[in-house]
């Protein structure tokens, strides 16, 4: 059983949903980012998304765009992101790590080498935003061989005609994008999320995580009542931005502030009683 | 050079030209892209769609554009017989309107009332704003803040035409960032919005669809050259940013082995300096904006800034069909520096009384290199794809003139 499957099985046994926490690797600098990621699991995240910075993140809103720019400016690369994952994995054998980003850096690295090196570094899955099912074969093949889950996205535009294409060959869990829009710009409507998750469950047995548009513990709790996990990214990356000084350097309280936010989100989710879908 | 039975059958049903092209978009957009593809296939098979487009091309755009024998430049170069395909005489002053009208008619058929577009030099934005005014559609144009600064007249034109021009500050604030923001807008307005892409790039079906709409350039050239000289041209030259004017001129001739084709990329300060916009001559294959193609990028796969005196060529990618034709060797791709383009810009103004846009000035600068060495019966066609009114302020600044 993969780390992702084990974690969702454990959450189910606990009778609660999980918290997926996203941070961009290397944001705001490599040292601070490392300290942040080291604390994410202890702060209450059940799965960790490690954002791979990209110069042209076309599905991301201003918060994550800015986070990526800070990371690139700090010298972050895909190679260093994998090194960061390896470092984290040495300290934590159980928390699933999922890379999230865009295809071009992976294509440049080489899809086969990427899948192999990612698994070797302790990565469990990858969400590649601009790689729809029609185009993901060249990564999915090597990923399957290496044991890396390619995690697919479903969205409000994924109707019953589209969903079979999405779930065929999907691994790990299904990531439901709760808003038609880019990250961090709108709030997800919990009624609509509930309906969408119910519809997804008719198409797949995979766990469903819901992300895009979850900004605070209350919204996370509402999503946790319907889905298997709630993913939060922009709100955390925003918290990073709020703790930079005028020159863009990390203020002393940055790590505590971001991890505190993760704890609050985790408490919200743990307090929510999970309803049967 | 690999020989195929035809170079004109691409893309395959999934939008690939060899390894290039495809549909690398966020899942939210996939159903929309599939709907555009379906609607375009239906329109293409419907004679009334082409008839409607032809009506507007004839009566609104002013097609066919002339194929003009540039006698003084021909004498000046002292070699090949130079013809200009005068797409700068189109309504709105460039070839962009050919494609925009096609896409707007398609958007109308799909019942979309809100149009978005990206623009670099502003020509595609102006063309889109124009067609939206004509058909009473709401129009939002994304334009890099840097480009807004260097293309003020076009920004004002778009506003006069009723469009909203949204300045893009993200990334490098140029054309690629405008395209990112247009895609972000589309993801957030999936129900009512049609994205009019301005060049032969983006996710399938755009590269093929834009090519089809721009092929009117090559189709007319073929007929006009037959009338003028009784035969096919020998060499075609066109500038390339994304590559839509070049593809429109080249595509109808791809299966004529006697016709040589040259695409001219923007060499900026020179390929060696790293400050250029020549994706084929100075880039590597990658994935951006919905397609796999040649891109300016670093070893980590991060997209690099393009540099060109011409805002319309200032893009770090190129249409996927050009990438494919480059690898096959069917079309040659060269580059011209800012300086060479500026010289050609002035030469064309003085000798022909035509102020060209900086974009086709790149094509003319390459013509200036090859024409003198070609025989006098060699028929050379250059696509004069835009007029230079929009560029006079930028050119004046480069020449040290205060207006």
């Amino acid at each position: 059983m993969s780390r992702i499957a084990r974690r969702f099985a454990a959450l189910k046994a606990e009778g609660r949903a999980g918290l997926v926490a996203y941070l961009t690797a290397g944001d705001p600098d490599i040292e601070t980012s490392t300290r942040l990621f080291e604390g994410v699991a202890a702060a209450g995240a059940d799965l960790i998304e490690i954002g791979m910075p990209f110069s042209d993140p076309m599905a991301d809103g201003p918060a994550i765009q800015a986070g990526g720019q800070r990371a690139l400016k700090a010298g972050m690369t895909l190679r260093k992101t994998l090194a960061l994952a390896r470092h984290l994995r040495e300290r934590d054998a159980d928390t699933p790590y999922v890379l999230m980003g865009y295809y071009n850096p992976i294509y440049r690295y080489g899809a086969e080498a990427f899948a192999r090196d990612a698994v070797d570094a302790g990565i469990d899955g990858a969400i590649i935003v601009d790689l729809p099912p029609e185009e993901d074969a060249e990564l999915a093949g090597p990923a399957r061989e290496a044991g890396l889950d390619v995690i697919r996205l479903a969205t409000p535009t994924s109707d019953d005609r589209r969903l079979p294409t999405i779930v065929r060959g999907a691994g790990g869990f299904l990531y439901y994008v709760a808003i038609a829009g880019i990250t961090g710009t709108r709030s997800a409507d919990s009624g609509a999320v509930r309906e969408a998750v119910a519809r997804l469950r008719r198409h797949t047995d995979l766990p469903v995580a819901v992300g895009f548009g979850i900004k605070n513990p209350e919204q996370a709790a509402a999503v946790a009542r319907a889905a298997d996990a709630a993913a939060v990214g922009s709100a955390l990356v925003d918290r990073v931005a709020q703790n930079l000084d005028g020159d863009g350097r990390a203020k002393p309280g940055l790590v505590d502030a971001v991890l505190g936010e993760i704890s609050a989100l985790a408490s919200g989710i743990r307090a929510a009683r999970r309803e049967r879908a | 050079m690999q020989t195929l039975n035809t170079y004109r059958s691409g893309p395959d049903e999934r939008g690939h030209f060899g390894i290039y092209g495809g549909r690398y978009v966020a899942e939210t957009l996939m159903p929309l892209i599939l709907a555009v593809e379906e609607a375009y296939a239906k329109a293409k098979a419907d004679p009334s769609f082409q008839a409607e487009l032809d009506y507007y091309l004839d009566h609104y755009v002013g097609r066919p554009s002339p194929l003009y024998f540039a006698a003084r430049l021909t004498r000046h170069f002292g070699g090949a017989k130079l013809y200009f395909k005068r797409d700068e005489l189109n309504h709105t002053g460039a070839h962009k309107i050919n494609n925009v009208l096609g896409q707007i008619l398609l958007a109308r058929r799909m019942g979309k009332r809100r149009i978005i577009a990206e623009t670099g030099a502003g020509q595609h934005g102006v063309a889109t704003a124009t067609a939206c005014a004509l058909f009473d559609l709401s129009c939002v144009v994304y334009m890099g803040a840097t480009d807004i600064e260097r293309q003020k007249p076009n920004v004002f034109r778009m506003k006069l035409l009723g469009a909203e021009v949204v300045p893009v500050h993200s990334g490098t604030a140029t054309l690629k960032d405008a395209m990112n923001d247009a895609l972000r807008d589309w993801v957030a307005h999936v129900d009512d919005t049609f994205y009019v892409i301005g060049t032969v790039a983006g996710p399938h079906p755009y590269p093929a669809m834009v090519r089809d709409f721009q092929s009117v350039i090559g189709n007319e050239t073929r007929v006009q050259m037959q009338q003028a000289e009784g035969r096919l041209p020998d060499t075609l030259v066109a500038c390339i940013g994304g590559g839509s004017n070049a593809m429109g001129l080249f595509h109808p001739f791809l299966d004529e082995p006697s016709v040589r084709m040259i695409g001219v990329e923007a060499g900026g300060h020179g390929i060696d300096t790293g400050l250029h916009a020549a994706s084929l001559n100075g880039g590597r294959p990658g994935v951006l904006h919905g397609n796999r193609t040649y891109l300016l990028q670093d070893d980590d796969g991060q997209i690099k800034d393009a540099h060109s005196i011409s805002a319309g060529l200032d893009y770090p990618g190129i249409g996927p069909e050009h990438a494919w034709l480059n690898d096959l060797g069917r079309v040659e791709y060269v580059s011209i520096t800012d300086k060479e383009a500026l010289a050609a810009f002035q030469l064309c103004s003085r000798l022909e009384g035509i102020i060209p846009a900086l974009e086709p000035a790149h094509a003319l600068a390459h013509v200036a290199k090859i024409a003198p060495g070609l025989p006098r019966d060699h028929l050379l066609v250059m696509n004069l794809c835009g007029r230079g009114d929009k560029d006079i302020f930028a050119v004046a600044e480069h020449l040290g003139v205060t207006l």
Side-chain angles (χ1 to χ4, degrees):
Chain A
M1 205 190 232
S2 74
R3 244 182 237 116
I4 293 174
R6 273 205 305 275
R7 179 53 53 101
F8 276 105
L11 289 166
K12 197 169 183 181
E14 275 184 57
R16 69 172 178 94
L19 171 64
V20 183
Y22 170 100
L23 289 168
T24 302
D27 174 30
D29 60 73
I30 295 173
E31 197 251 316
T32 307
S33 175
T34 304
R35 279 168 49 221
L36 272 172
F37 275 108
E38 284 170 359
V40 172
D46 299 294
L47 285 86
I48 300 177
E49 280 180 338
I50 303 174
M52 301 178 282
F54 181 51
S55 53
D56 294 79
M58 61 161 183
D60 284 303
I64 292 181
Q65 287 177 42
Q69 290 296 327
R70 289 192 294 268
L72 291 174
K73 211 173 149 198
M76 206 55 188
T77 61
L78 180 50
R79 215 164 284 282
K80 288 180 190 169
T81 300
L82 293 177
L84 169 66
R86 181 184 300 278
H87 165 80
L88 298 171
R89 184 52 81 209
E90 280 163 7
R91 308 161 55 98
D92 177 353
D94 302 320
T95 307
Y97 297 152
V98 174
L99 291 172
M100 189 164 187
Y102 296 80
Y103 189 52
N104 198 51
I106 294 170
Y107 179 59
R108 185 101 313 276
Y109 193 97
E112 266 188 63
F114 167 79
R116 190 188 57 229
D117 292 355
V119 168
D120 197 49
I123 296 289
D124 305 292
I127 305 172
I128 311 304
V129 180
D130 56 353
L131 214 51
E134 280 82 351
E135 302 289 354
D136 76 1
E138 70 183 51
L139 177 62
R144 205 171 300 120
E145 203 127 299
L148 182 74
D149 281 326
V150 174
I151 292 154
R152 294 258 178 88
L153 298 141
T155 76
T157 61
S158 310
D159 53 18
D160 287 325
R161 195 173 134 201
R162 177 75 187 155
L163 279 170
T165 306
I166 294 173
V167 301
R168 201 181 307 126
F173 57 90
L174 198 61
Y175 190 117
Y176 181 66
V177 174
I179 54 168
I182 51 180
T183 51
T185 48
R186 294 179 190 171
S187 290
D189 173 76
S190 56
V193 166
R194 200 184 312 266
E195 264 173 52
V197 171
R199 202 157 53 80
L200 296 179
R201 292 204 198 282
R202 290 201 294 274
H203 288 270
T204 181
D205 295 328
L206 287 174
V208 177
V210 174
F212 284 46
I214 302 171
K215 295 178 176 165
N216 55 48
E218 294 71 34
Q219 289 171 345
V223 165
R225 291 190 189 98
D228 300 303
V232 182
S234 297
L236 300 177
V237 176
D238 251 340
R239 197 45 71 102
V240 172
Q242 286 159 11
N243 284 277
L244 300 175
D245 66 19
D247 298 323
R249 281 189 300 257
K251 286 192 207 163
L254 185 148
V255 172
D256 287 343
V258 176
L259 296 182
E261 183 80 16
I262 292 172
S263 296
L265 289 160
S267 308
I269 285 176
R270 278 159 210 262
R273 293 225 63 85
R274 166 98 175 276
E275 289 169 13
R276 288 266 153 244
Chain B
M1 176 172 142
Q2 187 181 338
T3 314
L4 300 179
N5 289 329
T6 175
Y7 293 94
R8 303 188 63 206
S9 63
D12 66 18
E13 72 283 358
R14 293 191 149 196
H16 295 108
F17 300 92
I19 67 162
Y20 303 107
R23 286 179 286 221
Y24 295 86
V25 295
E27 180 57 38
T28 313
L29 290 180
M30 272 311 288
L32 281 75
I33 301 242
L34 294 171
V36 172
E37 183 186 352
E38 203 180 311
Y40 179 55
K42 225 184 265 175
K44 215 172 152 179
D46 177 358
S48 74
F49 179 80
Q50 190 60 48
E52 192 183 12
L53 179 55
D54 286 345
Y55 172 84
Y56 286 103
L57 290 177
D58 290 357
H59 299 282
Y60 190 68
V61 175
R63 301 210 72 93
S65 70
L67 183 69
Y68 164 74
F69 171 50
R72 291 199 67 204
L73 275 170
T74 296
R75 263 202 306 284
H76 177 78
F77 295 138
K81 201 167 177 186
L82 176 62
Y83 282 86
F84 284 157
K85 179 59 175 163
R86 301 281 308 273
D87 255 51
E88 102 282 9
L89 291 175
N90 293 340
H91 180 42
T92 70
H95 68 290
K96 294 291 187 185
I97 191 82
N98 305 329
N99 160 52
V100 165
L101 279 172
Q103 288 195 49
I104 291 288
L105 293 180
L106 186 65
R108 271 161 55 90
R109 289 195 159 208
M110 294 177 73
K112 306 289 186 184
R113 303 285 312 160
R114 182 174 177 272
I115 302 298
I116 57 171
E118 83 295 335
T119 198
Q123 293 304 102
H124 174 60
V126 167
T128 305
T130 298
C132 287
L134 178 65
F135 291 107
D136 189 25
L137 300 168
S138 92
C139 180
V140 178
V141 179
Y142 288 89
M143 187 168 185
T146 307
D147 290 337
I148 284 181
E149 196 46 48
R150 56 181 173 174
Q151 300 290 340
K152 281 179 190 153
N154 272 345
V155 175
F156 186 59
R157 276 185 196 110
M158 285 184 270
K159 289 180 178 168
L160 275 177
L161 292 160
E164 182 192 347
V165 181
V166 180
V168 175
H169 297 281
S170 61
T172 52
T174 58
L175 181 54
K176 84 173 171 76
D177 309 289
M179 199 152 178
N180 288 334
D181 269 18
L183 285 164
R184 289 176 184 129
D185 177 304
W186 206 17
V187 170
H189 299 91
V190 291
D191 293 326
D192 63 343
T193 297
F194 187 98
Y195 181 15
V196 176
I197 294 182
T199 190
V200 285
H204 178 63
Y206 284 95
M209 179 167 68
V210 177
R211 172 200 72 201
D212 293 348
F213 291 141
Q214 291 294 1
S215 289
V216 66
I217 300 171
N219 287 330
E220 285 176 7
T221 300
R222 206 181 163 109
V223 172
Q224 290 166 324
M225 188 55 94
Q226 191 64 38
Q227 285 165 352
E229 300 278 355
R231 65 182 182 89
L232 289 169
D234 297 304
T235 300
L236 308 175
V237 180
C239 64
I240 300 210
S244 71
N245 91 80
M247 192 55 72
L249 177 63
F250 296 169
H251 197 260
F253 294 99
L254 283 175
D255 286 343
E256 300 293 348
S258 70
V259 181
R260 179 185 177 198
M261 300 173 202
I262 306 171
V264 183
E265 296 191 297
H269 295 301
I271 305 289
D272 306 341
T273 66
L275 300 173
H276 60 82
S279 315
L280 290 173
N281 285 288
R284 288 176 288 182
V287 172
L288 180 72
H289 293 154
N291 58 172
R292 190 193 319 252
T293 188
Y294 279 79
L295 299 171
L296 304 182
Q297 55 183 317
D298 67 16
D299 290 337
D300 189 43
Q302 308 298 337
I303 306 306
K304 290 206 287 197
D305 305 350
H307 285 269
S308 171
I309 188 172
S310 149
L313 303 180
D314 207 347
Y315 180 68
I318 184 167
E321 195 167 7
H322 284 296
W324 179 69
L325 291 168
N326 173 73
D327 286 9
L328 292 174
R330 176 62 187 98
V331 178
E332 298 159 53
Y333 295 91
V334 300
S335 71
I336 282 294
T337 64
D338 288 352
K339 257 192 194 143
E340 293 168 324
L342 259 179
F345 180 95
Q346 297 168 82
L347 183 71
C348 188
S349 303
R350 278 199 313 272
L351 288 192
E352 292 292 347
I354 300 171
I355 300 176
L358 279 168
E359 291 80 10
H362 284 72
L364 184 61
H366 189 70
V367 166
K369 286 185 181 176
I370 62 170
L374 293 168
R376 283 167 199 273
D377 61 352
H378 189 99
L379 302 180
L380 205 166
V381 176
M382 190 203 96
N383 197 7
L384 190 51
C385 61
R387 65 175 183 230
D389 310 43
K390 69 181 175 62
D391 292 317
I392 54 170
F393 298 100
V395 169
E397 200 182 307
H398 281 281
L399 298 178
V401 177
T402 314
L403 295 182

